Amino acid sequence: MNCSDLAGSQYISDGKSSMVAKKAVDAISGWMPVPEGRLVAHSPGRRGIWHWYEDHARGTGELARSFAEPWGGGELAHRLGRDHDTGKGACAWQDGLIEEATTGRKVRRPAHHAAGAFLFAQAARQHPVLTPFAGVIEGHHTGLSAWSELSVRLKSLMRDPTEVDEAISRVAEVMPEILDKTCPAVPDWLDPRNKTSVEMLVRMTYSAVVDADRLDTAAHFQPGPLPRPDVRMPELWERYETRRQEALAERRRRKEPSWLDKLREDVYQEALETAADEPGVYRLHLPTGAGKTFTGGGFALRHAALHGLRRVIVAVPFISITEQNAAVYRRLLNPEHGPRTVLEHHSAVNFETPDRRASRPSDASVDAHRDQKRARPNRWAKLAAENWDAPFIVTTTVRLIESLFGNSPSATRRLHRLANSVIVLDEIQALPDTLLTPILSGLRELVEHYGVTLVLSSATQPELATLNPWQTGLPQRDIVANPAPLFQQLRRVRYDWRTGSDVTLRSIATEAAAHDQALMVVNGTRDASHVHKIWLGDHAEDPSTLHLSTRMTGCHRRETIQAAKQRLDAGLNTLLVSTSLIEAGVDLDFPRGYRARSLPESEQQAAGRINREGHRPTEDSIMTVFEPTDGLQPQVIYNRCGIAAASRRFGKGLADPDDLDTLRSYYQHRYRLQAGRSSTDPNGATGETIEALREKLDYPETARRMRMIDNEHSVAVVAIRAQLTQNDRQAAQDAIEQLRSGVPTPDAYRTLQDHMASIPQRELETAINTGHAAEIAGDLYEWTGPYHPQRGIEPAV
């Protein structure tokens, strides 16, 4: 049925749009015209071929089915995917697309989400627990809505379906199956009374449908293979083990294996034996220096190979560890030729959400134009958003939690990839206390219903089983059965505690500088910059004096870590001041260390960079924990309940941070101080009120509350350093221009990850107004202001 055929029926077009469509079709030059009785889903693009509606609808449905089959949601995802674009059948929408495609002018078309949502809500009458799944269709472009709002819109449609009748009738002409009102099956494990299970199933189904929609759309505009076939995990595991053995053999040729090498190998072999056990929750509790990166990867790959799991996802809290771990895994897993196996994804950029940045108050017209532009998410950015279509993912904990609890399409489309996977949560102690209840609840859902094996990796294992979501029915198994003796064997430092009014950043920096090689870890970027300036004195630069913080770009941080490593190995004088990003996964070995007072887990992690290889006597390897009167105080940036629990247990005359029994008691006390509190309590809480939002299916508010990085305080900017080679500078600039042109790819994002630094929101606002930052796309900006060759973007005074 064409729009012109509707005259005389109950669905009458205004006639004007039909004339537009006829003229547009007549004007097509070199493109296939739209035959009578056909509907289109997307414009011809560069190939000159229309994307026919039924091809897109059926293709999306089948792809969504394949994504959701692992958890028994295939039929449900298929129905939602098949009907998600039903609203595109409306004459105004069809005419608008044809006019836009043939004239090149932007045409405002009506929203197309209501018709499919209405169809699904009708079918769900037989099984009311399914009604909220209509939100998958309703929000497939804009994000999951709160059920309280969605239910009102659905009730209104049920009372008066006039606005969707036309689209449904026209689509039914080419796809009569949409009128089938039978209720799709749900996974047999779903308990309608368990609201968080329903909430998570909506999320997973939404992810499957959104990813299927975008992949099918991308295949039309950019023809090529659809999702790459999963690499066989047994093959990946064999490659990992072969290359690991080759690396060990090469190391043995260069130097005689030490006692520490043997200990690491024993730990690794025990982990491989444990990998044969059933899927579930595992703890990898190892002291720093025991080889957690290799052991965690080996366990995950072997476990996946033995149990038929599809991928391994390693999530770490700090970008510095992501970069280092990804480099290790790439060497072990990427093939010599062909598609890469390891995908590194830690971009903090959102290309879909309208930006709400402050702008120049003096130019209201420019501001209005920019705000209007940002309110229209770029279509290509949506298609190119990362969907984790790789067998081995290295990402940040922030990205993982964003995927698990976000409500936007770009954040959520990769969520279904978690099913039937091994998730390694590295440095698990870094999860924020204020979000623990929903995080643990969500992870439990993944383990119990989506075939996930979860690995909790840390030298300072928190007592998560004491928190409500994990108190009963979720056993945790140790990958290494008895880790306590390892901590005794690998105790390589002696702690020294320094307090008093005379303890300042300058006094400690001066003491550290008296040593040939020393590491100093402070509580913030301003303190790190201050210490580095003290060390430099009147010198502009000094290769023996290094600085590390997130104000430096990713490649700059890697260069600094590599320079420190080379200098230490060569026995050269080396002073390094760093923020906490050095405390996990950074393979450096200093003889002397200083750590500003923080939480015991952070202090122990910092100590892991001192005498790391055990070549020096423990008594001579000192980690000084100091409380500077002029430095950033731990109560400002760390959990206050954690500080309170730690102050009773650790310090001069008390326990050291690596005392396992005291650490266990500390975590239990810390969680007891917070459990059950309101999230508005200044002392924090473990997120019980967020869990209540999940039970109400309030997806937008849950996403807002679950942000692990508050973008009001920390934002990513791209800085192209003068020290880069011409080729690297050009590649980065090309990626920026590609994003600005509106035709980005995931590769463009990945190229820029190397050049991203973090600064506070208020500093970015000032930089925009002073011309030191220029918009790229979404909430990503290019830094054009000063960039110090050692410290990166300096803190504002």
Side-chain angles (χ1 to χ4, degrees):
M1 182 186 294
N2 282 351
C3 291
S4 58
D5 297 331
L6 291 172
S9 77
Q10 57 176 320
Y11 309 110
I12 301 178
S13 164
D14 61 9
K16 180 179 178 182
S17 60
S18 301
M19 290 298 295
V20 169
K22 184 177 186 305
K23 291 177 181 178
V25 172
D26 290 343
I28 290 176
S29 176
W31 288 355
M32 179 189 298
V34 179
E36 183 176 336
R38 298 300 300 269
L39 298 175
V40 293
H42 299 108
S43 61
R46 296 187 181 93
R47 293 189 302 158
I49 300 172
W50 290 98
H51 199 186
W52 304 118
Y53 176 87
E54 61 270 31
D55 292 342
H56 176 55
R58 289 172 178 148
T60 299
E62 289 303 322
L63 199 52
R65 185 204 300 275
S66 70
F67 290 156
E69 285 290 1
W71 63 82
E75 186 178 337
L76 179 59
H78 172 262
R79 176 73 66 88
L80 291 163
R82 185 196 68 189
D83 296 347
H84 76 287
D85 272 352
T86 304
K88 288 184 176 181
C91 285
W93 198 95
Q94 291 286 311
D95 292 348
L97 178 64
I98 294 171
E99 180 182 359
E100 185 175 305
T102 54
T103 65
R105 294 192 300 269
K106 188 72 177 175
V107 176
R108 186 177 180 84
R109 286 169 272 148
H112 62 273
H113 58 263
F118 169 78
L119 279 176
F120 188 84
Q122 277 191 315
R125 285 174 171 172
Q126 304 168 45
H127 201 350
V129 71
L130 284 180
T131 307
F133 288 81
V136 170
I137 294 177
E138 197 255 359
H140 73 275
H141 282 301
T142 56
L144 285 168
S145 300
W147 169 241
S148 59
E149 299 173 359
L150 174 63
S151 60
V152 171
R153 292 195 285 271
L154 291 176
K155 287 175 183 176
S156 176
L157 280 174
M158 292 295 188
R159 285 194 300 270
D160 181 13
T162 304
E163 70 171 279
V164 299
D165 280 344
E166 178 196 46
I168 292 171
S169 294
R170 299 192 68 228
V171 170
E173 288 290 320
V174 297
M175 288 184 62
E177 61 263 36
I178 69 165
L179 299 180
D180 176 12
K181 291 187 174 61
T182 58
C183 189
V186 298
D188 55 14
W189 50 260
L190 182 66
D191 180 356
R193 296 166 298 181
N194 188 331
K195 300 303 182 185
T196 51
S197 278
V198 174
E199 192 256 15
M200 185 58 69
L201 183 58
V202 171
R203 290 184 182 278
M204 293 292 281
T205 309
Y206 179 74
S207 170
V209 170
V210 167
D211 198 28
D213 175 28
R214 294 190 173 177
L215 287 170
D216 190 80
T217 301
H220 166 70
F221 285 108
Q222 299 172 324
L226 270 176
R228 80 184 91 188
D230 291 333
V231 175
R232 291 179 64 251
M233 277 295 160
E235 173 189 338
L236 211 56
W237 152 245
E238 289 174 9
R239 184 187 302 165
Y240 183 90
E241 181 60 9
T242 298
R243 291 184 179 175
R244 189 189 76 89
Q245 292 288 356
E246 291 171 351
L248 287 176
E250 176 60 29
R251 179 170 176 168
R252 292 189 194 103
R253 279 194 291 271
R254 286 188 281 109
K255 64 179 182 179
E256 192 70 23
S258 67
W259 66 271
L260 186 52
D261 292 325
K262 182 180 186 307
L263 183 146
R264 288 169 176 161
E265 185 64 20
D266 290 344
V267 166
Y268 182 82
Q269 293 302 327
E270 183 175 351
L272 296 190
E273 292 177 11
T274 310
D277 293 349
E278 290 302 307
V281 179
Y282 289 85
R283 302 198 326 165
L284 182 58
H285 192 187
L286 293 176
T288 55
K292 276 198 289 97
T293 299
F294 283 105
T295 301
F299 171 89
L301 285 164
R302 180 154 173 77
H303 184 81
L306 291 173
H307 296 283
L309 304 184
R310 299 188 302 171
R311 61 178 46 81
V312 172
I313 299 161
V314 178
V316 296
F318 305 121
I319 288 177
S320 59
I321 319 175
T322 312
E323 295 159 347
Q324 178 171 289
N325 286 5
V328 171
Y329 292 132
R330 278 196 297 266
R331 287 196 299 270
L332 293 170
L333 291 172
N334 273 351
E336 294 181 7
H337 306 286
R340 66 185 177 279
T341 297
V342 178
L343 170 65
E344 180 183 357
H345 178 227
H346 53 68
S347 173
V349 185
N350 189 343
F351 292 94
E352 286 196 343
T353 303
D355 194 24
R356 293 178 290 278
R357 286 216 197 294
S359 49
R360 295 183 182 88
S362 59
D363 193 350
S365 61
V366 172
D367 295 344
H369 172 74
R370 185 165 66 184
D371 289 343
Q372 183 180 26
K373 178 165 71 74
R374 289 191 186 121
R376 295 194 298 267
N378 181 281
R379 178 187 67 187
W380 290 97
K382 292 191 292 183
L383 297 181
E386 195 62 76
N387 73 341
W388 290 359
D389 181 19
F392 200 102
I393 310 294
V394 182
T395 188
T396 58
T397 313
V398 171
R399 295 283 76 80
L400 179 67
I401 299 306
E402 177 194 49
S403 304
L404 199 53
F405 294 106
N407 76 313
S408 72
S410 62
T412 313
R413 69 175 289 193
R414 54 187 175 260
L415 178 58
H416 71 92
R417 306 279 179 183
L418 302 182
N420 281 10
S421 68
V422 181
I423 300 176
V424 180
L425 282 178
D426 201 5
E427 307 303 344
I428 186 69
Q429 80 285 346
L431 287 176
D433 288 16
T434 53
L435 305 180
L436 277 177
T437 290
I439 287 175
L440 296 182
S441 174
L443 292 174
R444 180 168 187 153
E445 283 290 320
L446 294 180
V447 171
E448 292 185 334
H449 301 309
Y450 298 93
V452 166
T453 284
L454 184 63
V455 178
L456 311 175
S457 178
S458 176
T460 52
Q461 282 283 345
E463 294 295 303
L464 299 178
T466 64
L467 290 163
N468 184 55
W470 283 14
Q471 281 180 349
T472 58
L474 191 68
Q476 298 180 42
R477 286 164 281 190
D478 285 318
I479 291 176
V480 176
N482 186 17
L486 295 175
F487 281 82
Q488 289 298 321
Q489 288 176 268
L490 290 179
R491 198 174 201 275
R492 292 152 293 172
V493 303
R494 175 168 61 87
Y495 286 92
D496 171 44
W497 303 87
R498 201 77 59 80
T499 60
S501 59
D502 60 336
V503 178
T504 64
L505 289 173
R506 179 173 288 276
S507 71
I508 297 297
T510 301
E511 179 181 327
H515 298 279
D516 293 338
Q517 297 178 336
L519 169 67
M520 187 168 169
V521 183
V522 293
N523 283 330
T525 59
R526 191 182 302 275
D527 289 358
S529 177
H530 179 50
V531 169
H532 190 252
K533 290 175 182 176
I534 291 172
W535 283 345
L536 282 180
D538 296 331
H539 301 285
E541 285 187 54
D542 182 350
S544 69
T545 302
L546 303 173
H547 167 282
L548 201 59
S549 84
T550 53
R551 286 177 172 270
M552 301 155 63
T553 65
C555 56
H556 192 182
R557 289 193 300 270
R558 281 201 304 276
E559 290 167 10
T560 300
I561 292 170
Q562 185 61 28
K565 185 174 178 60
Q566 289 173 351
R567 295 187 66 85
L568 291 170
D569 290 346
L572 300 175
N573 287 3
T574 307
L575 295 177
L576 172 62
V577 61
S578 176
T579 57
S580 61
L581 68 82
I582 200 174
E583 289 177 348
V586 178
D587 187 9
L588 293 175
D589 186 1
F590 283 88
R592 192 71 165 82
Y594 298 83
R595 192 8 168 145
R597 189 70 191 259
S598 57
L599 293 173
E601 58 267 35
S602 184
E603 293 159 1
Q604 186 187 148
Q605 294 286 355
R609 308 321 116 191
I610 310 305
N611 195 19
R612 186 174 179 85
E613 296 299 321
H615 296 317
R616 308 174 189 91
T618 299
E619 284 301 306
D620 297 339
S621 305
I622 303 172
M623 167 56 77
T624 296
V625 181
F626 64 99
E627 297 184 28
T629 57
D630 58 342
L632 186 61
Q633 297 303 302
Q635 298 93 316
V636 176
I637 55 174
Y638 296 110
N639 179 282
R640 292 187 179 185
C641 291
I643 294 293
S647 64
R648 300 184 185 186
R649 292 169 171 80
F650 302 97
K652 191 171 185 178
L654 301 172
D656 288 336
D658 56 1
D659 185 310
L660 295 187
D661 291 336
T662 307
L663 270 172
R664 192 175 299 112
S665 168
Y666 150 75
Y667 275 119
Q668 291 169 351
H669 184 200
R670 171 173 157 180
Y671 295 151
R672 279 199 306 272
L673 288 174
Q674 299 172 87
R677 289 181 182 269
S678 164
S679 64
T680 60
D681 191 308
N683 290 322
T686 61
E688 292 86 350
T689 56
I690 302 175
E691 191 72 351
L693 290 170
R694 292 186 61 215
E695 292 177 355
K696 294 176 182 177
L697 307 186
D698 191 341
Y699 296 98
E701 185 62 14
T702 296
R704 188 184 73 80
R705 296 279 206 85
M706 287 298 296
R707 287 176 186 155
M708 290 183 64
I709 294 180
D710 186 349
N711 286 333
E712 292 300 312
H713 297 93
S714 178
V715 292
V717 293
V718 174
I720 304 180
R721 296 183 294 140
Q723 293 78 10
L724 294 174
T725 66
Q726 181 59 37
N727 285 344
D728 287 343
R729 289 172 60 83
Q730 189 60 52
Q733 199 61 57
D734 289 347
I736 289 174
E737 294 310 314
Q738 189 175 13
L739 293 181
R740 283 180 173 147
S741 72
V743 190
T745 66
D747 284 339
Y749 304 156
R750 295 181 198 125
T751 297
L752 292 182
Q753 283 180 170
D754 266 354
H755 308 287
M756 287 185 193
S758 296
I759 61 173
Q761 170 73 51
R762 65 183 181 277
E763 290 187 28
L764 177 62
E765 293 170 359
T766 301
I768 294 170
N769 293 331
T770 57
H772 287 159
E775 183 183 12
I776 296 176
D779 63 355
L780 183 63
Y781 280 73
E782 180 182 8
W783 179 263
T784 56
Y787 188 98
H788 191 276
Q790 286 188 288
R791 296 190 292 270
I793 301 172
E794 295 275 37
V797 178

